[in-house]
Coordinates of all heavy atoms in Angstrom, one line a residue:
M1 N -7.9 -37.4 17.4 CA -8.4 -36.2 16.7 C -9.7 -35.8 17.3 O -10.5 -36.6 17.7 CB -8.6 -36.7 15.2 CG -9.2 -35.6 14.4 SD -9.5 -36.0 12.7 CE -8.3 -37.2 12.3
T2 N -9.8 -34.5 17.4 CA -11.1 -33.9 18.0 C -12.2 -33.9 17.0 O -12.0 -34.0 15.8 CB -10.8 -32.5 18.5 OG1 -10.6 -31.7 17.3 CG2 -9.7 -32.4 19.5
A3 N -13.4 -33.9 17.6 CA -14.6 -33.9 16.7 C -14.5 -32.6 15.8 O -14.9 -32.7 14.6 CB -15.8 -33.9 17.5
T4 N -14.1 -31.5 16.3 CA -14.0 -30.3 15.5 C -13.0 -30.5 14.4 O -13.3 -30.0 13.2 CB -13.6 -29.1 16.4 OG1 -14.5 -29.0 17.5 CG2 -13.6 -27.8 15.6
G5 N -11.9 -31.1 14.6 CA -10.9 -31.3 13.6 C -11.4 -32.2 12.5 O -11.2 -32.0 11.3
Y6 N -12.2 -33.2 12.8 CA -12.8 -34.1 11.9 C -13.8 -33.4 11.0 O -13.9 -33.7 9.8 CB -13.3 -35.4 12.5 CG -13.7 -36.4 11.5 CD1 -12.7 -37.2 10.9 CD2 -15.0 -36.6 11.2 CE1 -13.1 -38.2 10.0 CE2 -15.4 -37.6 10.2 CZ -14.4 -38.3 9.6 OH -14.7 -39.3 8.7
E7 N -14.6 -32.5 11.6 CA -15.6 -31.8 10.9 C -15.0 -30.9 9.8 O -15.6 -30.8 8.7 CB -16.4 -30.9 11.9 CG -17.3 -31.7 12.8 CD -18.0 -30.9 13.9 OE1 -17.7 -29.7 14.0 OE2 -18.7 -31.5 14.7
S8 N -13.8 -30.4 10.1 CA -13.2 -29.6 9.0 C -12.7 -30.5 7.9 O -12.8 -30.1 6.7 CB -12.0 -28.8 9.6 OG -11.0 -29.7 10.1
Y9 N -12.3 -31.8 8.2 CA -12.0 -32.7 7.1 C -13.3 -33.1 6.3 O -13.2 -33.2 5.1 CB -11.4 -34.0 7.6 CG -10.0 -33.8 8.2 CD1 -9.6 -34.2 9.4 CD2 -9.0 -33.1 7.4 CE1 -8.4 -34.0 9.9 CE2 -7.7 -32.9 7.9 CZ -7.4 -33.4 9.2 OH -6.1 -33.2 9.7
E10 N -14.4 -33.2 7.0 CA -15.6 -33.5 6.3 C -16.0 -32.4 5.4 O -16.4 -32.6 4.2 CB -16.8 -33.8 7.3 CG -16.6 -35.1 8.0 CD -17.7 -35.4 9.0 OE1 -18.3 -34.4 9.5 OE2 -18.0 -36.5 9.3
A11 N -15.9 -31.1 5.8 CA -16.2 -30.0 5.0 C -15.2 -29.9 3.8 O -15.7 -29.5 2.7 CB -16.1 -28.7 5.9
A12 N -14.0 -30.2 4.0 CA -13.0 -30.2 2.9 C -13.4 -31.2 1.9 O -13.3 -31.0 0.7 CB -11.6 -30.4 3.4
G13 N -13.8 -32.4 2.4 CA -14.2 -33.5 1.5 C -15.5 -33.1 0.6 O -15.5 -33.3 -0.6
A14 N -16.4 -32.4 1.3 CA -17.6 -31.9 0.6 C -17.2 -30.9 -0.5 O -17.7 -30.9 -1.6 CB -18.6 -31.3 1.6
L15 N -16.3 -30.0 -0.2 CA -15.8 -29.0 -1.2 C -15.1 -29.8 -2.3 O -15.4 -29.5 -3.5 CB -14.8 -28.1 -0.5 CG -14.1 -27.2 -1.5 CD1 -15.0 -26.2 -2.3 CD2 -13.0 -26.4 -0.8
L16 N -14.3 -30.7 -2.1 CA -13.6 -31.4 -3.2 C -14.6 -32.2 -4.0 O -14.5 -32.3 -5.2 CB -12.5 -32.3 -2.6 CG -11.3 -31.6 -2.0 CD1 -10.4 -32.5 -1.3 CD2 -10.6 -30.7 -3.0
R17 N -15.6 -32.8 -3.4 CA -16.7 -33.5 -4.2 C -17.4 -32.5 -5.1 O -17.7 -32.8 -6.2 CB -17.7 -34.2 -3.2 CG -17.1 -35.5 -2.7 CD -18.2 -36.4 -2.0 NE -18.7 -35.7 -0.8 CZ -18.1 -35.6 0.4 NH1 -16.9 -36.2 0.6 NH2 -18.7 -35.0 1.4
A18 N -17.7 -31.3 -4.5 CA -18.4 -30.3 -5.4 C -17.5 -29.9 -6.6 O -18.0 -29.5 -7.6 CB -18.7 -29.1 -4.5
L19 N -16.2 -30.0 -6.4 CA -15.3 -29.6 -7.5 C -14.9 -30.8 -8.4 O -14.0 -30.7 -9.2 CB -14.0 -29.0 -6.9 CG -14.3 -27.7 -6.2 CD1 -13.0 -27.2 -5.5 CD2 -14.8 -26.6 -7.1
S20 N -15.5 -32.0 -8.2 CA -15.0 -33.2 -8.8 C -15.3 -33.3 -10.3 O -14.7 -34.1 -11.0 CB -15.6 -34.4 -8.1 OG -17.0 -34.5 -8.2
A21 N -16.2 -32.5 -10.8 CA -16.6 -32.6 -12.2 C -15.7 -31.5 -13.0 O -15.6 -30.4 -12.6 CB -18.0 -32.3 -12.4
P22 N -15.1 -31.9 -14.1 CA -14.3 -31.0 -14.9 C -15.0 -29.7 -15.3 O -14.4 -28.6 -15.2 CB -13.9 -31.8 -16.2 CG -14.0 -33.2 -15.7 CD -15.1 -33.3 -14.7
I23 N -16.3 -29.8 -15.6 CA -17.0 -28.5 -16.0 C -17.1 -27.6 -14.7 O -17.1 -26.4 -14.9 CB -18.4 -28.8 -16.6 CG1 -18.9 -27.5 -17.2 CG2 -19.3 -29.5 -15.6 CD1 -20.1 -27.7 -18.1
R24 N -17.3 -28.2 -13.5 CA -17.4 -27.3 -12.4 C -16.0 -26.7 -12.1 O -16.0 -25.5 -11.6 CB -17.9 -28.1 -11.2 CG -19.3 -28.5 -11.4 CD -20.0 -29.0 -10.1 NE -19.6 -30.2 -9.5 CZ -20.2 -31.4 -9.8 NH1 -21.3 -31.5 -10.6 NH2 -19.8 -32.5 -9.2
I25 N -14.9 -27.4 -12.3 CA -13.6 -26.8 -12.2 C -13.5 -25.6 -13.2 O -13.0 -24.6 -12.8 CB -12.5 -27.8 -12.4 CG1 -12.5 -28.9 -11.3 CG2 -11.1 -27.2 -12.6 CD1 -11.6 -30.1 -11.5
A26 N -13.9 -25.8 -14.4 CA -13.9 -24.8 -15.4 C -14.7 -23.6 -15.0 O -14.3 -22.4 -15.2 CB -14.3 -25.3 -16.8
I27 N -15.9 -23.8 -14.5 CA -16.8 -22.7 -14.0 C -16.1 -21.9 -12.9 O -16.0 -20.7 -12.9 CB -18.1 -23.3 -13.5 CG1 -19.0 -23.8 -14.7 CG2 -18.9 -22.2 -12.7 CD1 -20.2 -24.6 -14.3
V28 N -15.5 -22.6 -11.9 CA -14.8 -21.9 -10.8 C -13.6 -21.1 -11.4 O -13.4 -20.0 -11.0 CB -14.4 -22.9 -9.7 CG1 -13.4 -22.3 -8.7 CG2 -15.6 -23.5 -9.0
A29 N -12.9 -21.7 -12.4 CA -11.8 -21.0 -13.0 C -12.3 -19.7 -13.6 O -11.6 -18.7 -13.5 CB -11.0 -21.9 -13.9
E30 N -13.4 -19.8 -14.3 CA -13.9 -18.6 -15.0 C -14.4 -17.6 -13.9 O -14.1 -16.4 -14.1 CB -15.1 -18.9 -15.9 CG -14.8 -19.6 -17.2 CD -14.0 -18.7 -18.1 OE1 -14.3 -17.5 -18.1 OE2 -13.0 -19.1 -18.7
L31 N -15.0 -18.0 -12.9 CA -15.5 -17.1 -11.8 C -14.3 -16.5 -11.0 O -14.5 -15.5 -10.4 CB -16.5 -17.8 -10.9 CG -17.8 -18.2 -11.6 CD1 -18.7 -18.9 -10.6 CD2 -18.5 -17.0 -12.2
G32 N -13.2 -17.2 -11.1 CA -12.0 -16.7 -10.4 C -11.5 -15.3 -11.0 O -10.9 -14.5 -10.3
A33 N -11.9 -15.1 -12.2 CA -11.6 -13.9 -12.9 C -12.6 -12.8 -12.7 O -12.4 -11.6 -13.1 CB -11.4 -14.1 -14.4
G34 N -13.7 -13.1 -12.1 CA -14.8 -12.1 -11.8 C -16.2 -12.7 -12.1 O -16.3 -13.8 -12.6
E35 N -17.2 -12.0 -11.6 CA -18.5 -12.5 -11.8 C -18.9 -12.7 -13.2 O -18.5 -11.9 -14.1 CB -19.5 -11.7 -11.0 CG -19.9 -10.4 -11.6 CD -21.0 -9.6 -10.7 OE1 -21.1 -9.9 -9.5 OE2 -21.6 -8.8 -11.3
R36 N -19.8 -13.7 -13.4 CA -20.3 -14.0 -14.8 C -21.7 -14.4 -14.7 O -22.2 -14.9 -13.7 CB -19.5 -15.2 -15.4 CG -18.0 -15.1 -15.5 CD -17.6 -14.3 -16.7 NE -16.2 -14.4 -16.9 CZ -15.3 -13.6 -16.4 NH1 -15.7 -12.6 -15.6 NH2 -14.0 -13.7 -16.6
C37 N -22.5 -14.1 -15.8 CA -23.8 -14.6 -15.9 C -23.8 -15.9 -16.7 O -22.7 -16.3 -17.3 CB -24.7 -13.6 -16.8 SG -24.9 -12.0 -15.9
V38 N -24.9 -16.6 -16.6 CA -24.9 -18.0 -17.3 C -24.5 -17.9 -18.7 O -23.7 -18.7 -19.2 CB -26.3 -18.6 -17.1 CG1 -26.4 -19.9 -17.9 CG2 -26.6 -18.9 -15.6
H39 N -25.0 -16.9 -19.4 CA -24.7 -16.8 -20.9 C -23.2 -16.6 -21.1 O -22.7 -17.0 -22.1 CB -25.6 -15.8 -21.6 CG -25.3 -14.4 -21.2 ND1 -24.4 -13.6 -21.8 CD2 -25.9 -13.5 -20.3 CE1 -24.3 -12.4 -21.3 NE2 -25.2 -12.3 -20.4
D40 N -22.6 -15.9 -20.2 CA -21.1 -15.7 -20.4 C -20.4 -17.0 -20.2 O -19.5 -17.3 -20.9 CB -20.6 -14.7 -19.3 CG -21.1 -13.3 -19.4 OD1 -21.3 -12.9 -20.6 OD2 -21.3 -12.6 -18.4
L41 N -20.8 -17.8 -19.2 CA -20.2 -19.1 -19.0 C -20.4 -20.0 -20.1 O -19.5 -20.8 -20.5 CB -20.7 -19.7 -17.6 CG -20.3 -18.9 -16.4 CD1 -21.0 -19.4 -15.2 CD2 -18.8 -19.1 -16.1
V42 N -21.7 -20.0 -20.6 CA -22.0 -20.9 -21.8 C -21.1 -20.5 -23.0 O -20.5 -21.4 -23.6 CB -23.5 -20.7 -22.2 CG1 -23.8 -21.3 -23.5 CG2 -24.4 -21.3 -21.1
S43 N -20.9 -19.3 -23.2 CA -20.1 -18.8 -24.3 C -18.6 -19.2 -24.1 O -18.0 -19.7 -25.0 CB -20.2 -17.3 -24.4 OG -19.3 -16.8 -25.4
Q44 N -18.1 -19.0 -22.9 CA -16.7 -19.3 -22.6 C -16.4 -20.8 -22.6 O -15.3 -21.2 -23.0 CB -16.3 -18.7 -21.2 CG -16.1 -17.2 -21.2 CD -14.9 -16.8 -22.1 OE1 -15.1 -16.2 -23.2 NE2 -13.7 -17.1 -21.7
L45 N -17.3 -21.6 -22.1 CA -17.1 -23.0 -21.9 C -17.5 -23.8 -23.1 O -17.1 -25.0 -23.2 CB -17.8 -23.5 -20.6 CG -17.3 -22.8 -19.3 CD1 -18.2 -23.3 -18.2 CD2 -15.9 -23.0 -19.1
G46 N -18.4 -23.3 -23.9 CA -18.9 -24.0 -25.1 C -19.8 -25.2 -24.6 O -19.9 -26.2 -25.4
A47 N -20.4 -25.0 -23.5 CA -21.3 -26.0 -23.0 C -22.8 -25.6 -23.1 O -23.0 -24.4 -23.0 CB -21.0 -26.3 -21.5
P48 N -23.7 -26.5 -23.2 CA -25.1 -26.1 -23.3 C -25.6 -25.4 -22.0 O -25.2 -25.7 -20.9 CB -25.9 -27.4 -23.5 CG -24.9 -28.4 -23.8 CD -23.5 -27.9 -23.3
Q49 N -26.5 -24.4 -22.1 CA -27.0 -23.7 -21.0 C -27.6 -24.5 -19.9 O -27.3 -24.3 -18.7 CB -28.0 -22.6 -21.5 CG -28.5 -21.7 -20.4 CD -29.7 -22.2 -19.7 OE1 -30.6 -22.8 -20.4 NE2 -29.8 -22.0 -18.4
P50 N -28.4 -25.5 -20.2 CA -29.0 -26.3 -19.1 C -27.9 -27.1 -18.3 O -28.0 -27.2 -17.1 CB -29.9 -27.3 -19.8 CG -30.2 -26.7 -21.1 CD -29.0 -25.9 -21.5
L51 N -26.8 -27.5 -19.0 CA -25.7 -28.2 -18.3 C -25.0 -27.2 -17.4 O -24.7 -27.5 -16.2 CB -24.8 -28.8 -19.3 CG -23.6 -29.6 -18.7 CD1 -24.1 -30.8 -18.0 CD2 -22.6 -30.0 -19.8
V52 N -24.7 -26.0 -17.8 CA -24.0 -25.0 -17.0 C -24.9 -24.7 -15.8 O -24.4 -24.6 -14.7 CB -23.7 -23.8 -17.9 CG1 -23.1 -22.6 -17.0 CG2 -22.6 -24.1 -18.9
S53 N -26.2 -24.5 -16.0 CA -27.1 -24.1 -14.9 C -27.2 -25.2 -13.9 O -27.2 -25.0 -12.7 CB -28.5 -23.8 -15.5 OG -28.5 -22.7 -16.3
Q54 N -27.2 -26.5 -14.4 CA -27.2 -27.6 -13.5 C -26.0 -27.6 -12.6 O -26.1 -27.8 -11.3 CB -27.3 -28.9 -14.2 CG -27.2 -30.2 -13.4 CD -27.2 -31.4 -14.2 OE1 -27.2 -31.4 -15.5 NE2 -27.0 -32.6 -13.6
H55 N -24.8 -27.4 -13.1 CA -23.6 -27.4 -12.4 C -23.5 -26.2 -11.5 O -22.9 -26.3 -10.4 CB -22.4 -27.6 -13.3 CG -22.2 -29.0 -13.8 ND1 -21.8 -30.0 -13.1 CD2 -22.5 -29.5 -15.0 CE1 -21.8 -31.1 -13.8 NE2 -22.3 -30.8 -15.0
L56 N -24.0 -25.1 -11.9 CA -24.0 -23.9 -11.0 C -24.9 -24.2 -9.8 O -24.6 -23.8 -8.7 CB -24.6 -22.7 -11.7 CG -23.5 -22.0 -12.6 CD1 -24.2 -21.0 -13.6 CD2 -22.5 -21.3 -11.8
R57 N -26.0 -24.9 -10.0 CA -26.8 -25.3 -8.8 C -26.1 -26.2 -7.8 O -26.2 -26.0 -6.6 CB -28.1 -26.1 -9.3 CG -29.2 -25.2 -9.7 CD -30.5 -25.9 -9.8 NE -30.5 -26.9 -10.9 CZ -30.6 -26.7 -12.2 NH1 -30.8 -25.4 -12.6 NH2 -30.6 -27.6 -13.1
V58 N -25.3 -27.1 -8.3 CA -24.5 -27.9 -7.5 C -23.5 -27.1 -6.7 O -23.3 -27.2 -5.5 CB -23.7 -29.0 -8.3 CG1 -22.7 -29.8 -7.4 CG2 -24.7 -30.0 -8.9
L59 N -22.8 -26.2 -7.4 CA -21.8 -25.3 -6.8 C -22.4 -24.4 -5.7 O -21.9 -24.1 -4.7 CB -21.0 -24.5 -7.8 CG -20.1 -25.4 -8.7 CD1 -19.6 -24.5 -9.9 CD2 -18.9 -25.9 -7.9
R60 N -23.6 -23.9 -6.1 CA -24.3 -23.0 -5.1 C -24.7 -23.8 -3.9 O -24.6 -23.3 -2.8 CB -25.5 -22.3 -5.8 CG -26.0 -21.1 -5.1 CD -27.0 -20.3 -5.9 NE -28.1 -21.2 -6.3 CZ -28.9 -20.8 -7.2 NH1 -28.8 -19.7 -7.9 NH2 -29.9 -21.6 -7.6
G61 N -25.3 -25.0 -4.1 CA -25.7 -25.8 -3.0 C -24.5 -26.2 -2.1 O -24.7 -26.4 -0.9
A62 N -23.3 -26.3 -2.6 CA -22.1 -26.6 -1.8 C -21.5 -25.4 -1.2 O -20.5 -25.5 -0.5 CB -21.1 -27.3 -2.7
G63 N -22.1 -24.2 -1.5 CA -21.5 -23.0 -0.9 C -20.3 -22.4 -1.6 O -19.6 -21.7 -1.0
V64 N -20.1 -22.9 -2.8 CA -18.9 -22.4 -3.6 C -19.2 -21.1 -4.3 O -18.3 -20.3 -4.4 CB -18.5 -23.5 -4.6 CG1 -17.3 -23.1 -5.5 CG2 -18.1 -24.8 -3.8
V65 N -20.4 -21.0 -4.9 CA -20.7 -19.8 -5.6 C -22.0 -19.2 -5.0 O -22.8 -19.9 -4.4 CB -20.9 -20.0 -7.1 CG1 -19.7 -20.6 -7.8 CG2 -22.1 -20.9 -7.4
R66 N -22.2 -17.9 -5.3 CA -23.5 -17.2 -5.0 C -24.0 -16.5 -6.2 O -23.2 -16.2 -7.1 CB -23.3 -16.3 -3.8 CG -22.4 -15.1 -4.2 CD -22.3 -14.1 -3.0 NE -21.1 -13.4 -3.1 CZ -20.1 -13.6 -2.2 NH1 -20.2 -14.5 -1.3 NH2 -18.9 -13.0 -2.4
G67 N -25.2 -16.3 -6.3 CA -25.9 -15.6 -7.4 C -26.6 -14.4 -6.9 O -27.3 -14.4 -5.9
V68 N -26.5 -13.3 -7.6 CA -27.1 -12.0 -7.3 C -27.9 -11.7 -8.5 O -27.4 -11.5 -9.6 CB -26.1 -10.9 -6.9 CG1 -26.9 -9.6 -6.7 CG2 -25.3 -11.3 -5.7
R69 N -29.2 -11.5 -8.4 CA -30.1 -11.1 -9.5 C -29.8 -9.7 -9.9 O -29.7 -8.8 -9.2 CB -31.6 -11.2 -9.1 CG -32.5 -10.9 -10.3 CD -33.9 -11.5 -10.1 NE -34.0 -12.9 -10.1 CZ -33.9 -13.7 -11.2 NH1 -33.7 -13.2 -12.4 NH2 -34.1 -15.0 -11.0
R70 N -29.6 -9.6 -11.3 CA -29.3 -8.3 -11.9 C -30.4 -8.2 -13.0 O -30.1 -8.6 -14.2 CB -27.9 -8.2 -12.4 CG -26.9 -8.4 -11.4 CD -25.8 -7.3 -11.5 NE -24.6 -7.7 -10.8 CZ -24.5 -7.5 -9.4 NH1 -25.5 -7.1 -8.7 NH2 -23.3 -7.8 -8.8
G71 N -31.5 -7.6 -12.7 CA -32.6 -7.6 -13.7 C -33.1 -9.0 -14.1 O -33.5 -9.7 -13.2
R72 N -33.0 -9.3 -15.3 CA -33.4 -10.7 -15.7 C -32.4 -11.8 -15.6 O -32.7 -12.9 -15.8 CB -33.9 -10.6 -17.2 CG -35.2 -9.8 -17.4 CD -35.6 -9.6 -18.8 NE -35.4 -10.9 -19.5 CZ -35.7 -11.1 -20.7 NH1 -36.3 -10.1 -21.4 NH2 -35.5 -12.3 -21.3
E73 N -31.2 -11.4 -15.3 CA -30.1 -12.3 -15.2 C -29.6 -12.5 -13.7 O -29.9 -11.6 -12.9 CB -28.9 -11.9 -16.0 CG -29.2 -11.8 -17.5 CD -28.0 -11.5 -18.3 OE1 -27.2 -10.6 -17.9 OE2 -27.9 -12.0 -19.4
I74 N -28.9 -13.6 -13.5 CA -28.2 -13.8 -12.2 C -26.7 -13.7 -12.5 O -26.2 -14.5 -13.3 CB -28.6 -15.1 -11.6 CG1 -30.1 -15.1 -11.3 CG2 -27.8 -15.4 -10.3 CD1 -30.7 -16.4 -10.8
A75 N -26.0 -12.9 -11.7 CA -24.6 -12.8 -11.8 C -24.0 -13.7 -10.7 O -24.3 -13.6 -9.5 CB -24.1 -11.4 -11.6
Y76 N -23.2 -14.7 -11.2 CA -22.5 -15.6 -10.2 C -21.1 -15.2 -9.9 O -20.4 -14.7 -10.8 CB -22.5 -17.0 -10.9 CG -23.9 -17.6 -10.9 CD1 -24.7 -17.5 -12.1 CD2 -24.4 -18.3 -9.9 CE1 -25.9 -18.0 -12.2 CE2 -25.7 -18.8 -9.9 CZ -26.5 -18.7 -11.1 OH -27.7 -19.2 -11.1
S77 N -20.7 -15.4 -8.7 CA -19.4 -15.1 -8.2 C -19.0 -16.2 -7.2 O -19.8 -16.9 -6.6 CB -19.3 -13.7 -7.6 OG -20.1 -13.6 -6.5
L78 N -17.7 -16.3 -6.9 CA -17.2 -17.2 -5.9 C -17.5 -16.6 -4.5 O -17.4 -15.4 -4.3 CB -15.7 -17.4 -6.0 CG -15.2 -18.1 -7.3 CD1 -13.7 -18.1 -7.4 CD2 -15.8 -19.4 -7.5
V79 N -17.8 -17.5 -3.6 CA -18.1 -17.1 -2.2 C -16.8 -16.8 -1.5 O -16.7 -15.8 -0.7 CB -18.8 -18.3 -1.5 CG1 -18.9 -18.0 0.0 CG2 -20.2 -18.4 -2.0
D80 N -15.7 -17.5 -1.9 CA -14.4 -17.3 -1.3 C -13.3 -17.4 -2.3 O -13.3 -18.4 -3.1 CB -14.3 -18.4 -0.2 CG -13.0 -18.3 0.6 OD1 -12.1 -17.6 0.2 OD2 -13.0 -18.9 1.7
E81 N -12.4 -16.5 -2.4 CA -11.4 -16.5 -3.4 C -10.4 -17.6 -3.1 O -9.7 -18.0 -4.1 CB -10.6 -15.2 -3.4 CG -11.4 -14.0 -3.9 CD -12.0 -14.2 -5.3 OE1 -11.3 -14.7 -6.2 OE2 -13.2 -14.0 -5.4
H82 N -10.4 -18.2 -2.0 CA -9.5 -19.4 -1.7 C -9.8 -20.5 -2.7 O -9.0 -21.3 -3.1 CB -9.6 -19.9 -0.3 CG -9.0 -19.1 0.7 ND1 -9.7 -18.3 1.6 CD2 -7.7 -18.9 1.0 CE1 -8.9 -17.6 2.4 NE2 -7.7 -18.0 2.0
I83 N -11.1 -20.6 -3.1 CA -11.5 -21.7 -4.0 C -10.9 -21.5 -5.3 O -10.5 -22.5 -6.0 CB -13.1 -21.7 -4.0 CG1 -13.6 -22.1 -2.7 CG2 -13.5 -22.7 -5.1 CD1 -15.1 -21.9 -2.5
A84 N -10.7 -20.3 -5.8 CA -10.1 -20.0 -7.1 C -8.6 -20.5 -7.0 O -8.1 -21.1 -8.0 CB -10.2 -18.6 -7.4
H85 N -8.0 -20.3 -5.9 CA -6.6 -20.7 -5.7 C -6.5 -22.2 -5.7 O -5.5 -22.8 -6.3 CB -6.0 -20.1 -4.5 CG -5.9 -18.6 -4.5 ND1 -5.0 -18.0 -5.3 CD2 -6.6 -17.7 -3.8 CE1 -5.2 -16.7 -5.2 NE2 -6.1 -16.5 -4.3
I86 N -7.4 -22.9 -5.0 CA -7.4 -24.4 -5.0 C -7.5 -24.9 -6.4 O -6.7 -25.8 -6.8 CB -8.5 -24.9 -4.1 CG1 -8.3 -24.6 -2.6 CG2 -8.7 -26.4 -4.3 CD1 -9.5 -24.8 -1.8
V87 N -8.4 -24.4 -7.2 CA -8.6 -24.9 -8.6 C -7.4 -24.5 -9.4 O -6.9 -25.4 -10.2 CB -9.9 -24.3 -9.1 CG1 -10.0 -24.5 -10.6 CG2 -11.1 -24.9 -8.5
A88 N -6.9 -23.3 -9.3 CA -5.7 -22.9 -10.1 C -4.5 -23.8 -9.8 O -3.8 -24.3 -10.7 CB -5.4 -21.5 -9.9
D89 N -4.3 -24.1 -8.5 CA -3.2 -25.0 -8.1 C -3.4 -26.4 -8.6 O -2.5 -27.1 -9.1 CB -3.1 -25.0 -6.6 CG -2.5 -23.7 -6.0 OD1 -1.9 -22.9 -6.8 OD2 -2.5 -23.6 -4.8
A90 N -4.7 -26.9 -8.6 CA -4.9 -28.3 -9.1 C -4.7 -28.4 -10.6 O -4.1 -29.3 -11.1 CB -6.4 -28.7 -8.7
V91 N -5.2 -27.4 -11.3 CA -5.0 -27.4 -12.8 C -3.5 -27.2 -13.1 O -3.0 -28.0 -14.0 CB -5.8 -26.2 -13.4 CG1 -5.4 -26.1 -14.9 CG2 -7.3 -26.5 -13.3
S92 N -2.8 -26.4 -12.4 CA -1.3 -26.2 -12.6 C -0.6 -27.5 -12.3 O 0.3 -28.0 -13.1 CB -0.8 -25.1 -11.7 OG 0.6 -25.0 -11.8
H93 N -0.9 -28.2 -11.3 CA -0.3 -29.5 -10.9 C -0.6 -30.5 -12.0 O 0.3 -31.3 -12.3 CB -0.8 -29.9 -9.5 CG -0.3 -31.3 -9.2 ND1 1.0 -31.5 -8.7 CD2 -0.9 -32.5 -9.2 CE1 1.1 -32.8 -8.5 NE2 0.0 -33.4 -8.7
A94 N -1.8 -30.6 -12.5 CA -2.2 -31.5 -13.5 C -1.4 -31.3 -14.8 O -0.9 -32.2 -15.4 CB -3.7 -31.5 -13.8
R95 N -1.1 -30.0 -15.1 CA -0.3 -29.7 -16.3 C 1.1 -30.1 -16.1 O 1.8 -30.5 -17.1 CB -0.5 -28.2 -16.6 CG -1.8 -27.9 -17.2 CD -1.9 -26.4 -17.5 NE -3.2 -26.2 -18.1 CZ -3.9 -25.0 -18.0 NH1 -3.4 -24.0 -17.3 NH2 -5.1 -24.9 -18.5
E96 N 1.7 -29.9 -14.9 CA 3.0 -30.3 -14.6 C 3.3 -31.8 -14.7 O 4.3 -32.3 -15.0 CB 3.4 -29.8 -13.2 CG 3.6 -28.3 -13.1 CD 3.8 -27.9 -11.7 OE1 3.9 -28.7 -10.8 OE2 3.9 -26.6 -11.5
S97 N 2.2 -32.5 -14.3 CA 2.3 -34.0 -14.2 C 2.5 -34.6 -15.6 O 2.8 -35.8 -15.7 CB 1.1 -34.6 -13.5 OG 1.1 -34.1 -12.2
R98 N 2.2 -33.9 -16.7 CA 2.2 -34.5 -18.0 C 3.5 -34.4 -18.6 O 4.3 -33.7 -18.7 CB 1.1 -33.9 -18.8 CG -0.2 -34.2 -18.3 CD -1.3 -33.6 -19.0 NE -2.5 -34.1 -18.4 CZ -3.5 -34.6 -19.0 NH1 -3.5 -34.7 -20.3 NH2 -4.6 -35.0 -18.3

């Protein structure tokens, strides 16, 4: 295996680690439908704002989401729509397995 090939596996592993928490999967699923502010995600997920913000920081650090300031709020969106498909497929697979 070439070094370049292994690097892509490392990057894929980092992406999957970033998606390893159920709340982060839920955040990505929500963002797959379009950009959201933190208060929208809090409302949709029923999770406390500090928790949602913490997980958004992890996702942003992993290059999964980006934030754009809109006045006093930050609108979050997915960096790449492929991530929404990965999450949707994983959730669909989990539902089929039951």
